[in-house]
Amino acid sequence: MPDKNAVILGAGVSGLTCGVRLLEAGFGVKIKAHSLPPHTTSNVAPAYWYPYKVAPRDRVLGWAAFSYAKLTSLSLVPGSGISMSSLLKLFEEPVEEPFWKPAVKTFRKARPEELPPGYADGFVTEVPRIETPVYMRYLGERFIELGGEMEKLDSEASSIGEVLGDRRILINCAGLGAGKLCRDESMFPIRGQIVIVKNIGLERITSVDSGRHAPIYIVPRDGDCILGGTAEENDWDLSVNPETSKKIIEKCAAIEPALINAEVLGHRVGLRPGRTEVRLELEEIPGGRAVIHDYGHGGAGFTLSWGCAEEVLDLAEGFIS
């Protein structure tokens, strides 16, 4: 069908996932991006399923639940880079059950012996853990295998028209770039710095989102362990701050003391695409064409990726029908 074609702006996890899903549904798809894998923010994220710094809750729950099921199924696919892992969430004060509890398969309160000093509450659940370099390669190979095309742009896109070309639908997965492209003043960077250390034998993910020392996350992977982190809003600095790295190791070691002597393998800084809430909607433009916006996922790009891609597909099919 001549109308069943789309161009996607952005090659992070949202762009690639939308591309795969559209191709599976019979669309012709071309991705255009200034940064292609492995040079995207998604490639360096310490990813696991968890709705972090993202809204609105009612829509997030549906997207997250759909993605949880899809990522869980992909954990059975060799080479996907996804495995299931126990997640321990810690809190300094007693808390109510989280809004996203209906999305997960298992959930329980943490036992007293599981709570490190200084923490009064917690819960344990099983979540998909994503080895991002492996998973992004898997998505890219799947995209190409299905017939998708990729084009590297010399600079960041400055207008919808220059990206859309002769295609009828543009999927806007530009992340932070969507702020300038769409004149969207709701967009802002959330700077995240991490330390990569040698895995000392840890298996469970541990995370703290609130309290004096938050954020803290310890994410064991097959060959290393990610320690974090920071969530500095409106900070565009991509340089590594050595003092910040030192503090990250210290606050993670307060939970897992053996980390204080773990071998440091590297440091990374990335900018999460923050927004007051996710923008996922269809905008009709002149010439019988449309832009489907899918950006502003904050710290939950992987967590929402498949659910958002499914809604993007529904919007695209509805538009051309």
Side-chain angles (χ1 to χ4, degrees):
M1 293 175 60
D3 287 342
K4 202 168 184 181
N5 59 76
V7 59
I8 296 174
L9 178 60
V13 66
S14 295
L16 280 176
T17 307
C18 284
V20 168
R21 194 65 194 94
L22 288 167
L23 286 164
E24 289 175 340
F27 279 77
V29 182
K30 185 172 189 176
I31 286 178
K32 296 183 180 181
H34 179 48
S35 298
L36 298 177
H39 307 294
T40 72
T41 300
S42 296
N43 281 83
V44 298
Y48 57 94
W49 184 97
Y50 185 72
Y52 178 62
K53 283 192 172 295
V54 65
R57 283 190 172 187
D58 55 342
R59 299 183 77 190
V60 164
L61 179 58
W63 295 327
F66 189 96
S67 298
Y68 183 96
K70 178 64 176 181
L71 292 169
T72 299
S73 67
L74 285 174
S75 70
L76 303 176
V77 177
S80 68
I82 299 176
S83 58
M84 301 304 291
S85 176
S86 176
L87 166 65
L88 170 64
K89 298 294 296 185
L90 297 172
F91 302 90
E92 294 179 358
E93 303 291 340
V95 295
E96 296 180 354
E97 293 181 344
F99 78 95
W100 48 261
K101 180 185 173 184
V104 299
K105 288 184 176 180
T106 64
F107 183 93
R108 66 171 175 83
K109 280 284 191 177
R111 295 184 289 269
E113 63 270 20
E114 294 176 294
L115 300 175
Y119 294 96
D121 203 355
F123 49 76
V124 177
T125 184
E126 186 179 50
V127 298
R129 186 198 66 184
I130 301 115
E131 298 261 358
T132 49
V134 178
Y135 180 60
M136 290 294 287
R137 183 171 63 248
Y138 168 83
L139 280 181
E141 291 174 350
R142 177 68 176 151
F143 177 79
I144 297 300
E145 176 186 274
L146 289 167
E149 303 174 69
M150 285 194 193
E151 177 184 335
K152 188 180 188 310
L153 301 177
D154 293 332
S155 59
E156 291 189 0
S158 58
S159 72
I160 296 295
E162 75 174 80
V163 181
L164 190 53
D166 61 356
R167 304 218 172 193
R168 193 174 177 197
I169 299 174
L170 169 67
I171 315 299
N172 178 15
C173 297
L176 272 176
K180 182 178 180 181
L181 180 69
C182 302
R183 297 179 177 83
D184 187 345
E185 296 183 358
S186 299
M187 289 295 297
F188 56 92
I190 306 173
R191 181 182 180 275
Q193 181 168 324
I194 60 173
V195 181
I196 306 170
V197 301
K198 187 173 182 179
N199 194 341
I200 57 172
L202 302 178
E203 296 182 356
R204 173 184 284 178
I205 301 167
T206 304
S207 177
V208 181
D209 292 342
S210 60
R212 295 164 295 169
H213 306 296
I216 302 173
Y217 42 90
I218 302 168
V219 187
R221 305 195 300 188
D222 288 345
D224 55 30
C225 185
I226 304 296
L227 307 183
T230 65
E232 300 158 314
E233 297 186 2
N234 295 303
D235 188 340
W236 292 88
D237 187 5
L238 284 169
S239 61
V240 172
N241 184 320
E243 185 61 28
T244 298
S245 290
K246 179 182 176 183
K247 290 179 179 177
I248 288 172
I249 294 172
E250 289 174 350
K251 64 184 184 179
C252 290
I255 295 173
E256 292 285 355
L259 287 170
I260 198 68
N261 296 315
E263 179 185 352
V264 175
L265 304 177
H267 309 262
R268 298 286 188 276
V269 175
L271 303 178
R272 304 178 183 97
R275 193 174 187 270
T276 50
E277 60 181 39
V278 175
R279 186 182 185 190
L280 205 172
E281 61 184 357
L282 184 144
E283 176 186 2
E284 295 193 28
I285 59 176
R289 300 196 286 180
V291 179
I292 300 175
H293 300 284
D294 180 22
Y295 66 85
H297 302 96
F302 288 86
T303 299
L304 305 184
S305 56
W306 286 100
C308 287
E310 195 70 16
E311 186 164 329
V312 165
L313 174 60
D314 289 343
L315 290 172
E317 291 185 324
F319 179 71
I320 64 174
S321 63

CSV table of all heavy atoms in Angstrom, one decimal, residues 102-127:
chain,number,residue,atom,x,y,z
A,102,PRO,N,0.1,-3.9,39.6
A,102,PRO,CA,-0.7,-4.8,38.7
A,102,PRO,C,0.0,-5.2,37.5
A,102,PRO,O,-0.4,-6.2,36.8
A,102,PRO,CB,-1.9,-3.9,38.3
A,102,PRO,CG,-2.1,-2.9,39.4
A,102,PRO,CD,-0.7,-2.6,39.8
A,103,ALA,N,1.2,-4.5,37.1
A,103,ALA,CA,1.9,-4.9,35.9
A,103,ALA,C,2.8,-6.0,36.0
A,103,ALA,O,3.2,-6.6,35.1
A,103,ALA,CB,2.6,-3.6,35.4
A,104,VAL,N,3.2,-6.3,37.3
A,104,VAL,CA,4.3,-7.3,37.5
A,104,VAL,C,3.7,-8.7,37.9
A,104,VAL,O,2.6,-8.8,38.4
A,104,VAL,CB,5.3,-6.9,38.5
A,104,VAL,CG1,6.0,-5.6,38.0
A,104,VAL,CG2,4.7,-6.6,39.9
A,105,LYS,N,4.5,-9.7,37.8
A,105,LYS,CA,4.0,-11.1,38.1
A,105,LYS,C,4.1,-11.4,39.6
A,105,LYS,O,3.3,-12.1,40.1
A,105,LYS,CB,4.8,-12.1,37.3
A,105,LYS,CG,4.5,-12.1,35.8
A,105,LYS,CD,5.2,-13.3,35.1
A,105,LYS,CE,4.9,-13.4,33.6
A,105,LYS,NZ,5.6,-14.5,33.0
A,106,THR,N,5.2,-10.9,40.2
A,106,THR,CA,5.4,-11.2,41.6
A,106,THR,C,5.7,-9.9,42.4
A,106,THR,O,6.3,-9.0,41.8
A,106,THR,CB,6.7,-12.2,41.8
A,106,THR,OG1,7.8,-11.5,41.3
A,106,THR,CG2,6.5,-13.4,41.0
A,107,PHE,N,5.3,-9.9,43.6
A,107,PHE,CA,5.5,-8.7,44.4
A,107,PHE,C,5.3,-9.1,45.9
A,107,PHE,O,4.4,-9.9,46.3
A,107,PHE,CB,4.4,-7.7,44.1
A,107,PHE,CG,4.6,-6.4,44.9
A,107,PHE,CD1,5.3,-5.3,44.3
A,107,PHE,CD2,4.0,-6.2,46.1
A,107,PHE,CE1,5.5,-4.2,45.0
A,107,PHE,CE2,4.2,-5.0,46.8
A,107,PHE,CZ,4.9,-4.0,46.3
A,108,ARG,N,6.2,-8.7,46.7
A,108,ARG,CA,6.1,-8.9,48.2
A,108,ARG,C,6.9,-7.8,48.9
A,108,ARG,O,7.8,-7.2,48.4
A,108,ARG,CB,6.7,-10.3,48.6
A,108,ARG,CG,8.2,-10.4,48.3
A,108,ARG,CD,8.7,-11.7,48.9
A,108,ARG,NE,10.1,-12.0,48.6
A,108,ARG,CZ,11.2,-11.4,49.3
A,108,ARG,NH1,10.9,-10.6,50.4
A,108,ARG,NH2,12.4,-11.7,49.0
A,109,LYS,N,6.5,-7.7,50.2
A,109,LYS,CA,7.2,-6.8,51.1
A,109,LYS,C,8.6,-7.3,51.4
A,109,LYS,O,8.8,-8.6,51.5
A,109,LYS,CB,6.5,-6.5,52.4
A,109,LYS,CG,5.3,-5.5,52.2
A,109,LYS,CD,5.9,-4.1,52.2
A,109,LYS,CE,4.7,-3.1,52.4
A,109,LYS,NZ,5.3,-1.7,52.4
A,110,ALA,N,9.6,-6.5,51.5
A,110,ALA,CA,10.9,-6.9,51.9
A,110,ALA,C,10.9,-7.4,53.3
A,110,ALA,O,10.2,-6.8,54.2
A,110,ALA,CB,12.0,-5.8,51.7
A,111,ARG,N,11.7,-8.5,53.6
A,111,ARG,CA,11.8,-9.0,55.0
A,111,ARG,C,12.8,-8.1,55.8
A,111,ARG,O,13.7,-7.5,55.2
A,111,ARG,CB,12.3,-10.4,54.9
A,111,ARG,CG,11.3,-11.4,54.3
A,111,ARG,CD,11.8,-12.8,54.4
A,111,ARG,NE,12.9,-13.0,53.5
A,111,ARG,CZ,12.9,-13.5,52.2
A,111,ARG,NH1,11.7,-13.7,51.7
A,111,ARG,NH2,14.0,-13.7,51.5
A,112,PRO,N,12.6,-8.0,57.1
A,112,PRO,CA,13.5,-7.2,57.9
A,112,PRO,C,15.0,-7.4,57.6
A,112,PRO,O,15.8,-6.4,57.6
A,112,PRO,CB,13.1,-7.5,59.3
A,112,PRO,CG,11.7,-8.0,59.2
A,112,PRO,CD,11.6,-8.7,57.9
A,113,GLU,N,15.4,-8.6,57.4
A,113,GLU,CA,16.8,-8.9,57.2
A,113,GLU,C,17.3,-8.5,55.9
A,113,GLU,O,18.5,-8.5,55.6
A,113,GLU,CB,17.1,-10.4,57.4
A,113,GLU,CG,16.4,-11.4,56.4
A,113,GLU,CD,15.0,-11.8,56.9
A,113,GLU,OE1,14.4,-11.1,57.8
A,113,GLU,OE2,14.5,-12.8,56.4
A,114,GLU,N,16.4,-8.1,55.0
A,114,GLU,CA,16.8,-7.6,53.6
A,114,GLU,C,17.0,-6.1,53.6
A,114,GLU,O,17.5,-5.6,52.6
A,114,GLU,CB,15.7,-8.0,52.6
A,114,GLU,CG,15.6,-9.5,52.4
A,114,GLU,CD,14.4,-9.8,51.4
A,114,GLU,OE1,13.2,-9.5,51.7
A,114,GLU,OE2,14.7,-10.3,50.3
A,115,LEU,N,16.6,-5.4,54.7
A,115,LEU,CA,16.7,-4.0,54.7
A,115,LEU,C,18.1,-3.6,55.3
A,115,LEU,O,18.4,-3.9,56.5
A,115,LEU,CB,15.6,-3.4,55.6
A,115,LEU,CG,14.2,-3.7,55.1
A,115,LEU,CD1,13.1,-3.2,56.1
A,115,LEU,CD2,13.9,-3.2,53.7
A,116,PRO,N,18.9,-2.8,54.6
A,116,PRO,CA,20.1,-2.3,55.1
A,116,PRO,C,19.9,-1.3,56.2
A,116,PRO,O,18.8,-0.7,56.3
A,116,PRO,CB,20.8,-1.7,53.9
A,116,PRO,CG,20.1,-2.2,52.7
A,116,PRO,CD,18.7,-2.5,53.2
A,117,PRO,N,20.9,-1.0,57.0
A,117,PRO,CA,20.7,0.1,58.0
A,117,PRO,C,20.2,1.4,57.4
A,117,PRO,O,20.7,1.8,56.3
A,117,PRO,CB,22.2,0.2,58.6
A,117,PRO,CG,22.8,-1.1,58.3
A,117,PRO,CD,22.2,-1.6,57.0
A,118,GLY,N,19.3,2.0,58.0
A,118,GLY,CA,18.8,3.3,57.5
A,118,GLY,C,17.5,3.2,56.7
A,118,GLY,O,16.9,4.2,56.3
A,119,TYR,N,17.1,2.0,56.4
A,119,TYR,CA,15.9,1.8,55.6
A,119,TYR,C,14.8,1.1,56.4
A,119,TYR,O,15.1,0.0,57.0
A,119,TYR,CB,16.3,1.0,54.3
A,119,TYR,CG,17.2,1.8,53.4
A,119,TYR,CD1,18.6,1.6,53.5
A,119,TYR,CD2,16.7,2.8,52.6
A,119,TYR,CE1,19.4,2.4,52.7
A,119,TYR,CE2,17.5,3.5,51.8
A,119,TYR,CZ,18.9,3.3,51.8
A,119,TYR,OH,19.7,4.1,51.1
A,120,ALA,N,13.6,1.6,56.3
A,120,ALA,CA,12.5,1.1,57.2
A,120,ALA,C,11.5,0.3,56.4
A,120,ALA,O,10.7,-0.4,57.0
A,120,ALA,CB,11.7,2.3,57.8
A,121,ASP,N,11.6,0.3,55.0
A,121,ASP,CA,10.6,-0.4,54.2
A,121,ASP,C,11.2,-0.8,52.9
A,121,ASP,O,12.3,-0.2,52.5
A,121,ASP,CB,9.4,0.4,54.0
A,121,ASP,CG,8.1,-0.4,53.7
A,121,ASP,OD1,8.2,-1.6,53.6
A,121,ASP,OD2,7.0,0.2,53.6
A,122,GLY,N,10.6,-1.7,52.2
A,122,GLY,CA,11.0,-2.1,50.9
A,122,GLY,C,10.1,-3.1,50.3
A,122,GLY,O,9.2,-3.7,51.0
A,123,PHE,N,10.3,-3.4,49.0
A,123,PHE,CA,9.6,-4.5,48.4
A,123,PHE,C,10.4,-5.2,47.4
A,123,PHE,O,11.4,-4.6,46.9
A,123,PHE,CB,8.2,-4.1,47.8
A,123,PHE,CG,8.3,-2.8,47.0
A,123,PHE,CD1,8.8,-2.9,45.7
A,123,PHE,CD2,7.8,-1.6,47.4
A,123,PHE,CE1,8.8,-1.7,44.9
A,123,PHE,CE2,7.9,-0.5,46.6
A,123,PHE,CZ,8.4,-0.5,45.4
A,124,VAL,N,10.1,-6.4,47.0
A,124,VAL,CA,10.8,-7.2,46.1
A,124,VAL,C,9.9,-7.6,45.0
A,124,VAL,O,8.8,-8.1,45.2
A,124,VAL,CB,11.4,-8.4,46.8
A,124,VAL,CG1,12.2,-9.3,45.8
A,124,VAL,CG2,12.4,-8.0,48.0
A,125,THR,N,10.4,-7.5,43.8
A,125,THR,CA,9.6,-8.0,42.6
A,125,THR,C,10.6,-8.5,41.6
A,125,THR,O,11.8,-8.3,41.7
A,125,THR,CB,8.8,-6.8,42.0
A,125,THR,OG1,8.0,-7.3,40.9
A,125,THR,CG2,9.7,-5.7,41.5
A,126,GLU,N,10.1,-9.2,40.6
A,126,GLU,CA,10.9,-9.7,39.5
A,126,GLU,C,10.7,-8.9,38.3
A,126,GLU,O,9.6,-8.7,37.9
A,126,GLU,CB,10.6,-11.2,39.2
A,126,GLU,CG,11.6,-11.8,38.2
A,126,GLU,CD,11.3,-13.3,37.9
A,126,GLU,OE1,10.1,-13.6,37.6
A,126,GLU,OE2,12.2,-14.1,37.9
A,127,VAL,N,11.8,-8.4,37.6
A,127,VAL,CA,11.7,-7.5,36.5
A,127,VAL,C,12.6,-7.9,35.4
A,127,VAL,O,13.6,-8.6,35.6
A,127,VAL,CB,12.0,-6.1,36.9
A,127,VAL,CG1,11.0,-5.6,37.9
A,127,VAL,CG2,13.4,-5.9,37.4
